[in-house]
Amino acid sequence: MSNDPLLQPYQLKHLTLRNRIIVTSHEPAYPEDGMPKERYRAYTVERARGGVAMTMTAGSAAVSKDSPPVFNNLLAYKDEIVPWVREMTDAVHEQGAAIMIQLTHLGRRTRWDKGDWLPVVAPSHQREASHRAFPKKLEDWDIARIIKDFADAAERMKAGGMDGVELEAYGHLIDQFTSPLTNELDGPYGGSLDNRMRFCLDVFRAMRERVGDDFILGVRYTADECLPGGTGQADGIEISKRLRDSGLIDYLNVIRGHIDTDPGLTDVIPIQGMANSPHLDFAGEIRAATNFPTFHAAKIPDVATARHAIAAGKVDMVGMTRAHMTDPHIVRKIIEKREDDIRPCVGANYCLDRIYQGGMAFCIHNAATGREQTMPHTIPKADIRKKVVIVGAGPAGLEAARVAAERGHAVVVFEAANNPGGQIRLTAQSERRREMISIIDWRMGQCEKLGVTFHFNTWADTDTIAAENPDVVVIATGGLPHTEVLSNGNELVVSSWDIISGDVKPGTNVLIFDDAGDHAGLQAAEFIAKTGAKVEIMTPDRSFAPEVMAMNLVPYMRSLQKLDVTFTVTYRLEAAEKSGNQIIAHVGSDYGGVAKQRTVDQIVVNHGTIPLDDLYFELKPGSKNLGEVSYDELISGAPQTVDRNPEGSYQLFRIGDAVAARNTHAAIYDALRLAKDI
Ligand SMILES: Cc1cc2nc3c(=O)[nH]c(=O)nc-3n(C[C@H](O)[C@H](O)[C@H](O)COP(=O)(O)O)c2cc1C
Ligand code: SF4
């Protein structure tokens, strides 16, 4: 038996957990009609297969109709959920993992214009900044109704074969009761800590009566809101002890912070560029103060930190949630002593940011996550070994190389630069985004193990390709910054990438015209503003940087606001003209009727990239498929069979930004779904 602290079993009441790593509850927004159907099940089972001790499903499954989904949550208030839950729990148990579900009433953390259009409820009329709904203040009959809803939902989950239920308290209705900041009730549920905790304990009592003792109940709650006047650290320890002493629950799952604003949420679930494991010591203090089973997750992305969390007695079970979205097979790889092969979570938060915009959670660099029904996490070998030549060693090219090599093909990669990474290497030059380089480093490590041949500093042309005598050629040459967006004066502007790469020195009074709205614009702005320059970001959109999304925006804003960067929305840079050593920027608006000017010494345009596709078009005539991709075959997961040119000697494909400017996830998904069938 291994002596790795992470691989030791843990006895949680009657439940034996096979190791110390859990996936904490999170809603990937995969439900269909509010039910955990095939996609949800496949995603959940993959993590169980990968060896995790317990997978905690359903961030915040809703127990009541007046807690309508805000990110496609499961509807635990419907009886029809039971058979779906049963199929999922049976499949997870077959893999030897335990499975729990998180139940919630969102309280004010939702909206009234969703679901059944019922008023949002909370223990006060104060609205939550993030969801903006002004709540109805709860009445006695609301409270009784919701307590019963929790008990009904817990009973459904037990009937569905769950090992237990966790209450999502933090930021949701339960902690809205507990926090003095959000509870303005009189009577038995407002005022003293006893009264403010009454709702939580009444809910647990009602659930325990329904589910009996042989069922795990736990709570995920904030033990320190980090807000003036809110639940503080001392209160948190007192609350933790009272929860323990209630005798109603089996573990504590500790959160530190508040989630009513984007910045608050981002401190609870930190993203790339923010410190790792920021609340682990705090969770350890709660464990020490309560001597009670303690769980915790918050940016513990690597095995070494997780191991430390257990070995040092900080927690009993360590959550590696996003880490499992990036690599569902972490535990298996630890057991097989292949920790180097674990695909690292880079904290990009593409996963979480997407669900708040109504999308499904996808991992920025594992395109199989959430697509387990069609995309493999483990690539099967091909029947026939082919020669695959790839041009470009950015994320798309490297993913194609990795996957093709896993298939057993002979893979050669040509890259014009002296190192791999493309735009990601530039992006990772910002301190805030340096973790992105692991997307490249992990793929290079995998490719080296798989025997991929790399030629750097090599500008591949048709002769270079022909000399390889390939069966398949994949063009992943990416794109070049696209700045030709003005009616006049295009020669006067530089691109955001010129700034990020350091090729162009920042000016002192700079206008950034950003209508791509992605990271590059903000990265360039930060880079320039840090030199002490005056910076204005202008966009024709209704809001700036729409592609950056909520949590990713937080660290930028913390920096850019301090640097006094200004934001101008709904205006468009139309032209530029030289005036001495200054540039006059002519500004209009898509709404019409305005013409303004700015005088600056530098204009930066952020407008995505234009494909670098010359080689593709040169290779097209010699290919069997003339570059054509069958979208039906691509989408259904079948090998490409287009054969339009009897003279052709290879299949030709292009992927990533070499087709059109998109993002890292799209580039990697392009590569995976094509290369897995080569
Ligand atoms: C897509 C996504 C959805 C999440 N939804 C919930 C949720 O509904 N309830 C919850 O308690 N935590 C939720 N979380 C937070 C995770 O459980 C976890 O606390 C967080 O990701 C930090 O841990 P990690 O750094 O190991 O990922 C979510 C996380 C992700 C990535
Ligand atoms: S998108 Fe980023 S944070 Fe989310 S799982 Fe993937 S690597 Fe981790």
Side-chain angles (χ1 to χ4, degrees):
M1 168 130 181
S2 164
N3 58 5
D4 186 337
L6 284 174
L7 297 181
Q8 305 311 306
Y10 182 72
Q11 196 63 34
L12 180 64
K13 206 170 163 183
H14 56 276
L15 191 65
T16 305
L17 300 172
R18 59 182 166 180
N19 57 60
R20 300 303 186 95
I21 300 181
I22 54 173
V23 170
T24 55
S25 283
H26 61 293
E27 181 45 76
Y30 303 149
E32 292 153 71
D33 309 318
M35 299 294 129
K37 296 190 180 175
E38 290 80 3
R39 178 179 212 138
Y40 209 107
R41 183 163 68 239
Y43 167 79
T44 306
V45 171
E46 190 71 42
R47 274 122 204 99
R49 187 177 295 127
V52 77
M54 175 155 72
T55 178
M56 303 172 86
T57 54
S60 334
V63 299
S64 302
K65 288 187 176 153
D66 57 353
S67 171
V70 270
F71 36 84
N72 194 9
N73 314 53
L74 291 173
L75 303 180
Y77 58 79
K78 291 194 170 180
D79 288 337
E80 66 188 84
I81 199 170
V82 175
W84 291 111
V85 168
R86 172 57 76 177
E87 284 194 53
M88 180 163 64
T89 56
D90 283 351
V92 166
H93 286 144
E94 255 171 49
Q95 298 296 332
I99 177 166
M100 286 183 60
I101 190 164
Q102 191 183 55
L103 297 179
T104 200
H105 191 296
L106 290 155
R108 65 179 192 155
R109 192 173 169 74
T110 183
R111 295 181 60 90
W112 46 264
D113 55 357
K114 295 192 177 285
D116 294 303
W117 283 63
L118 295 170
V120 163
V121 291
S124 83
H125 288 299
Q126 291 175 39
R127 80 172 187 183
E128 189 213 53
S130 282
H131 290 86
R132 309 177 56 80
F134 292 104
K136 167 196 169 183
K137 194 158 145 186
L138 286 152
E139 296 179 65
D140 51 358
W141 57 269
D142 286 314
I143 294 173
R145 170 177 60 82
I146 295 169
I147 291 172
K148 179 174 176 301
D149 286 347
F150 269 108
D152 290 346
E155 195 175 339
R156 282 184 202 105
M157 296 308 131
K158 189 171 183 194
M162 284 285 172
D163 293 302
V165 155
E166 175 177 274
L167 288 194
E168 208 293 15
Y170 71 106
H172 294 199
L173 185 60
I174 291 182
D175 274 357
Q176 290 162 26
F177 270 90
T178 308
S179 168
L181 290 174
T182 44
N183 186 337
E184 291 175 355
L185 294 176
D186 299 322
Y189 291 97
S192 66
L193 180 60
D194 261 347
N195 282 358
R196 285 183 279 116
M197 283 190 71
R198 190 181 308 283
F199 180 70
C200 175
L201 296 177
D202 280 359
V203 167
F204 272 120
R205 205 166 289 116
M207 293 201 302
R208 188 54 91 193
E209 277 169 17
R210 287 295 182 87
V211 296
D213 268 349
D214 60 339
F215 191 70
I216 303 296
L217 291 182
V219 61
R220 198 166 201 203
Y221 67 111
T222 179
D224 180 1
E225 279 188 286
C226 304
L227 279 176
T231 297
Q233 187 163 343
D235 310 311
I237 289 181
E238 179 59 26
I239 289 167
S240 308
K241 288 181 176 166
R242 289 188 189 201
L243 287 165
R244 172 198 65 190
D245 294 342
S246 72
L248 294 164
I249 67 169
D250 304 307
Y251 72 88
L252 302 169
N253 191 351
V254 177
I255 293 285
R256 183 183 216 178
H258 59 100
I259 61 171
D260 53 333
T261 59
D262 292 344
L265 179 65
T266 310
D267 287 335
V268 170
I269 307 177
I271 70 165
Q272 59 184 208
M274 297 170 76
N276 278 358
S277 60
H279 311 306
L280 179 60
D281 288 343
F282 177 70
E285 286 170 33
I286 299 291
R287 182 173 186 260
T290 57
N291 197 22
F292 198 61
T294 302
F295 301 0
H296 173 68
K299 202 169 190 253
I300 300 173
D302 59 301
V303 171
T305 312
R307 190 172 282 131
H308 160 75
I310 298 295
K314 304 275 180 197
V315 293
D316 296 284
M317 298 298 293
V318 59
M320 297 184 77
T321 304
R322 285 171 294 176
H324 273 85
M325 298 191 85
T326 324
D327 191 334
H329 298 161
I330 292 176
V331 174
R332 182 169 62 77
K333 290 177 182 173
I334 297 173
I335 293 170
E336 292 171 0
K337 303 213 179 310
R338 291 173 48 218
E339 283 175 33
D340 283 356
D341 287 333
I342 294 173
R343 188 187 312 223
C345 172
V346 298
N349 246 33
Y350 188 62
C351 50
L352 199 51
D353 264 342
R354 275 179 57 89
I355 69 166
Y356 284 108
Q357 293 208 351
M360 293 182 190
F362 290 128
C363 173
I364 194 167
H365 80 121
N366 186 347
T369 290
R371 299 191 182 97
E372 279 76 9
Q373 293 162 286
T374 53
M375 295 294 131
H377 283 282
T378 310
I379 311 289
K381 282 260 180 297
D383 295 335
I384 302 167
R385 183 173 158 91
K386 293 181 180 167
K387 177 75 177 282
V388 180
V389 172
I390 295 165
V391 187
L398 288 182
E399 176 72 347
R402 177 189 79 84
V403 175
E406 290 272 13
R407 299 275 291 146
H409 300 312
V411 182
V412 178
V413 180
F414 292 100
E415 166 59 51
N418 60 359
N419 46 29
Q423 280 182 22
I424 288 193
R425 183 162 294 278
L426 293 181
T427 266
Q429 288 187 4
S430 289
E431 184 60 17
R432 146 159 14 285
R433 304 201 76 205
R434 71 180 189 287
E435 289 166 59
M436 293 291 278
I437 203 65
S438 298
I439 294 176
I440 300 306
D441 289 348
W442 179 75
R443 284 181 172 74
M444 285 303 288
Q446 295 294 296
C447 284
E448 273 161 31
K449 282 187 191 171
L450 292 162
V452 174
T453 305
F454 284 92
H455 299 284
F456 291 106
N457 296 309
T458 306
W459 185 265
D461 57 20
T462 48
D463 291 342
T464 327
I465 305 294
E468 296 291 332
N469 197 17
D471 299 300
V472 181
V473 180
V474 180
I475 301 298
T477 39
L480 289 174
H482 182 21
T483 55
E484 307 259 313
V485 296
L486 308 183
S487 59
N488 263 314
N490 281 314
E491 71 286 359
L492 299 175
V493 311
V494 301
S495 75
S496 46
W497 291 105
D498 290 332
I499 298 288
I500 296 167
S501 64
D503 286 350
V504 170
K505 221 174 127 230
T508 56
N509 179 14
V510 182
L511 175 66
I512 299 181
F513 178 62
D514 180 13
D515 67 348
D518 55 13
H519 279 276
L522 296 186
Q523 273 183 273
E526 188 172 19
F527 203 90
I528 299 168
K530 276 187 171 167
T531 66
K534 182 167 174 273
V535 178
E536 175 184 6
I537 300 178
M538 178 179 287
T539 171
D541 294 321
R542 278 183 293 150
S543 64
F544 60 92
E547 306 297 328
V548 174
M549 301 196 278
M551 293 173 77
N552 266 282
L553 191 64
V554 169
Y556 283 117
M557 292 315 290
R558 284 183 170 155
S559 167
L560 295 178
Q561 286 189 334
K562 283 194 198 100
L563 294 166
D564 219 13
V565 170
T566 55
F567 298 88
T568 304
V569 297
T570 70
Y571 286 93
R572 179 180 290 281
L573 176 65
E574 290 178 339
E577 68 178 300
K578 197 117 183 101
S579 168
N581 58 358
Q582 301 288 297
I583 305 171
I584 298 176
H586 294 275
V587 174
S589 158
D590 296 351
Y591 299 88
V594 288
K596 298 178 175 229
Q597 286 188 1
R598 299 276 198 279
T599 303
V600 294
D601 65 1
Q602 188 173 58
I603 293 179
V604 178
V605 169
N606 187 45
H607 186 77
T609 55
I610 199 102
L612 198 56
D613 52 13
D614 294 350
L615 180 59
Y616 166 79
F617 284 103
E618 285 163 24
L619 288 168
K620 227 174 127 168
S623 69
K624 289 182 187 168
N625 57 330
L626 298 178
E628 181 175 329
V629 179
S630 158
Y631 284 171
D632 287 342
E633 287 168 349
L634 187 74
I635 291 166
S636 66
Q640 291 290 318
T641 58
V642 177
D643 194 350
R644 290 177 49 199
N645 177 16
E647 312 297 310
S649 62
Y650 48 83
Q651 285 184 298
L652 174 68
F653 303 109
R654 97 185 137 129
I655 56 176
D657 284 4
V659 182
R662 285 166 291 161
N663 65 14
T664 306
H665 179 81
I668 285 175
Y669 186 27
D670 268 8
L672 173 65
R673 73 168 154 178
L674 181 83
K676 78 179 189 1
D677 294 311
I678 290 176

